[in-house]
Amino acid sequence: MSMRFAGRYQEIRRLGQGGMGEVLLVLDLASGTECALKHLTGDVRPALISALRSEFDVLARLTHPALVRVRDLGFTAEGTPFLTMDYVPGLPADQALEPQHRPSLFWFAARLARGLEALHRAGIVHGDLKPANVLVMPAARPGESPHDLRIVDLGLSVMRGHAHMPFAGTPGYAAPELMAGDAPSVASDLYAFGALLHALLTGAPVLAARPTSSHTEGAAGARTKTSALENSGAPAALIRLVLQLLSANPAERPADATEVAQELEAMHPAARTPLADRVEAETFIGRERELSRISLAATYDRGRAFLVTGPPGVGRSTLLRQAALRATSASRVVLVAQAQGAARGGAVISLLRGLIAALGNAAPTIPAAAAAILNGAAHTLPENAEDALLDALPRWIALLAARRGTPVFVVDDADQLEDASRLWLRRALVRTAGVRVVWVWAMRTLEGTSEATLVAGGNAEHLPLEPFAGEDLARFITARLGAEPPASLRPWLAERAGGSPVAIVQALRAALAAGAIAEEAGLLHAEPERLA
């Protein structure tokens, strides 16, 4: 019998089994899309729960083409957490790649190096890199490089400098110092990267090195690695790089993943990662103050509401997503009011179904007028059910807050909702001011809207988002390019994009496509004529 999680995710089939639990392909009943769901099985120890939370936190911090995109951290009726993320229709690297097809191998290695580069730049160390944790989406036609890859299973990842769990990596891929008890580091990730390449080239992992305090390695071990790589027929330059990555002494490995990527790019054309790919790496920058105010509101005893406004492209949806991710990471229930086409009250129905599912067995008796809506028998909001649902809402929220902490209700593009949902949600926001709940709405403007009365009456706080300027603009551009931008680029972007984050990214894409921005030896330079 297929399982359902939190009343929202319906199992389709199992994708895989691991040490922490299993991964399922599920249907998100709220959005109608498929995604992957990882849940813990067997003896659910605190360390496993911590690892699952760590994976969510890492993926919530960073969006990059080589990283799987996280969606939600939910909880079963028994209180066990589960993680949902985008479904990646790929295979483990050692099953998807043909090492003798050199373009594919070099493309893979460079793409993986750039993914590690993004993780490390964000202060994150993977901790368990191996073929099974890199999913490769095969090419559409034989003889072509793979379509794409995703680094997955970041349960053992850590923030650099933070406390780490005892060694739990994979022998054959874990660096000697990691096995000896040292903290995971950029250097240990690079060793694992070299071990992964060694396994792809030779068909076997590196023989586990004996952990020693001096991180030394015998000559026999070094000769074994060299001989296996030479027998694989790999190019001499690639062999030298793999051996350097596998050095028992961390100081003798490359300095960082950027250096590795640049060496690979010099070896083969297929390894040259377009600078445009780095522009797609997304980190949350420039809205930290607004995010902190929303997060702090969850610690109050009474309800708080925020109306986030700003023109298209200014980052309203990004702020709401980060607020939801931060609340989820803190084990709070996050519910999203999603429009269901033109159905009357469709956004209300989606929010209430999620609320009842989150309450689980603790849900009180549902008013008869609302039962058909909440059990899926009705898809529109009858007028005679509106008041009954509104009367029950504060009690439901109070029960949920007592069990799981202050819930967060998110309403994106509120000005695009149909009238019945918009009116009911406004009434709900006012009605729940006395209970622990945080409402976060996003819309283009308050001017001339009924929502303006919520702010005027003290029921909501207005958070207007302005286009980026000054230091925030500089930080955003640098983060998107992954390097210090040329001096002529910032004023050009400020003039062309007007400080809109979306417009900045679009302008960078256009400039890269026109060859107006290029990279040489790790330094960026702009072509003024092409920019003009």
Side-chain angles (χ1 to χ4, degrees):
M1 179 181 294
S2 64
M3 293 184 288
R4 180 177 289 191
F5 294 81
R8 173 176 174 179
Y9 300 103
Q10 182 67 49
E11 177 188 358
I12 298 175
R13 60 184 172 88
R14 192 172 79 167
L15 295 174
Q17 182 81 31
M20 290 175 59
E22 63 179 358
V23 180
L24 306 173
L25 178 65
V26 298
L27 176 65
D28 181 353
L29 300 175
S31 65
T33 59
E34 293 180 351
C35 62
L37 183 147
K38 178 188 288 188
H39 72 111
L40 306 176
T41 57
D43 181 15
V44 181
R45 301 185 302 276
L48 295 180
I49 295 176
S50 176
L52 194 72
R53 287 184 178 279
S54 173
E55 182 168 9
F56 177 84
D57 290 342
V58 167
L59 292 173
R61 288 173 179 269
L62 183 64
T63 299
H64 186 274
L67 297 175
V68 67
R69 185 179 174 89
V70 73
R71 292 190 176 199
D72 184 29
L73 182 66
F75 295 83
T76 65
E78 295 75 28
T80 304
F82 62 83
L83 172 68
T84 62
M85 64 197 91
D86 286 352
Y87 169 51
V88 181
L91 296 171
D94 53 351
Q95 298 179 30
L97 291 172
E98 297 180 14
Q100 298 308 315
H101 187 250
R102 296 300 183 220
S104 293
L105 180 66
F106 277 100
W107 173 91
F108 167 86
R111 182 77 161 178
L112 181 55
R114 290 299 184 185
L116 282 180
E117 174 189 54
L119 279 175
H120 294 164
R121 188 183 294 125
I124 300 162
V125 177
H126 187 284
D128 192 25
L129 197 65
K130 57 186 176 183
N133 287 344
V134 185
L135 297 182
V136 178
M137 288 160 271
R141 290 180 293 272
E144 294 182 350
S145 292
H147 174 66
D148 216 337
L149 67 78
R150 296 289 186 274
I151 302 171
V152 298
D153 207 355
L154 286 92
L156 297 182
S157 58
V158 296
M159 296 296 296
R160 293 210 303 272
H162 288 210
H164 68 286
M165 294 185 295
F167 171 73
T170 304
Y173 298 95
E177 71 272 13
L178 204 59
M179 297 178 70
D182 288 0
S185 65
V186 168
S188 63
D189 267 1
L190 293 180
Y191 180 96
F193 180 82
L196 190 157
L197 292 180
H198 181 282
L200 293 178
L201 289 166
T202 68
V206 180
L207 293 177
R210 292 182 179 178
T212 64
S213 57
S214 62
H215 307 316
T216 58
E217 177 185 43
R223 284 196 300 271
T224 299
K225 294 175 186 174
T226 304
S227 176
L229 290 167
E230 289 176 343
N231 291 338
S232 73
L238 181 58
I239 291 175
R240 285 195 296 272
L241 175 60
V242 173
L243 290 175
Q244 185 183 5
L245 288 163
L246 291 175
S247 173
N249 185 348
E252 294 176 359
R253 298 170 201 157
D256 51 36
T258 303
E259 180 181 326
V260 174
Q262 290 171 352
E263 286 197 38
L264 289 165
E265 289 167 358
M267 294 180 200
H268 199 287
R272 293 168 192 163
T273 307
L275 181 58
D277 281 2
R278 271 183 268 166
V279 173
E280 303 307 319
E282 178 185 327
T283 54
F284 186 73
I285 286 176
R287 306 296 185 200
E288 293 89 351
R289 291 180 294 276
E290 292 84 356
L291 180 60
S292 293
R293 288 168 73 176
I294 294 171
S295 299
L296 183 62
T299 65
Y300 300 150
D301 292 333
R302 292 175 59 82
R304 294 294 299 272
F306 299 90
L307 302 186
V308 180
T309 65
V314 80
R316 301 188 311 260
S317 295
T318 299
L319 175 59
L320 261 62
R321 170 176 163 77
Q322 286 298 319
L325 290 172
R326 181 171 289 193
T328 300
S329 182
S331 300
R332 305 187 189 282
V333 173
V334 177
L335 298 173
V336 181
Q338 296 180 315
Q340 306 294 311
R344 184 183 191 280
V348 175
I349 293 172
S350 71
L351 185 144
L352 291 176
R353 283 178 179 164
L355 176 56
I356 294 299
L359 283 169
N361 296 332
T365 302
I366 300 172
I373 296 171
L374 301 179
N375 65 22
H379 302 287
T380 60
L381 181 66
E383 293 185 22
N384 63 359
E386 292 186 19
D387 289 340
L389 289 168
L390 204 59
D391 291 341
L393 185 64
R395 184 169 72 257
W396 291 346
I397 291 176
L399 283 171
L400 185 59
R403 294 184 67 207
R404 299 274 298 278
T406 305
V408 177
F409 292 173
V410 176
V411 185
D412 200 2
D413 293 325
D415 44 357
Q416 304 300 312
L417 295 179
E418 37 76 32
D419 291 342
S421 285
R422 193 168 173 180
L423 175 59
W424 192 93
L425 289 169
R426 279 202 304 270
R427 295 173 66 196
L429 186 152
V430 175
R431 186 73 69 91
T432 57
V435 295
R436 290 169 54 195
V437 62
V438 175
W439 292 86
V440 190
W441 292 30
M443 52 200 305
R444 293 190 180 190
T445 181
L446 286 182
E447 188 175 347
T449 69
S450 298
E451 283 76 18
T453 61
L454 296 174
V455 176
N459 292 300
E461 181 179 347
H462 185 202
L463 290 183
L465 299 187
E466 302 295 337
F468 282 151
E471 183 61 25
D472 285 341
L473 176 62
R475 289 168 57 220
F476 184 80
I477 296 170
T478 300
R480 280 293 188 166
L481 289 171
E484 191 67 28
S488 59
L489 187 60
R490 180 175 165 182
W492 179 81
L493 283 171
E495 179 181 355
R496 175 159 178 152
S500 161
V502 171
I504 290 170
V505 174
Q506 291 173 340
L508 287 173
R509 289 170 180 155
L512 290 166
I517 307 173
E519 184 178 32
E520 292 182 4
L523 297 176
L524 300 180
H525 63 87
E527 298 288 346
E529 293 182 359
R530 292 188 179 183
L531 281 180

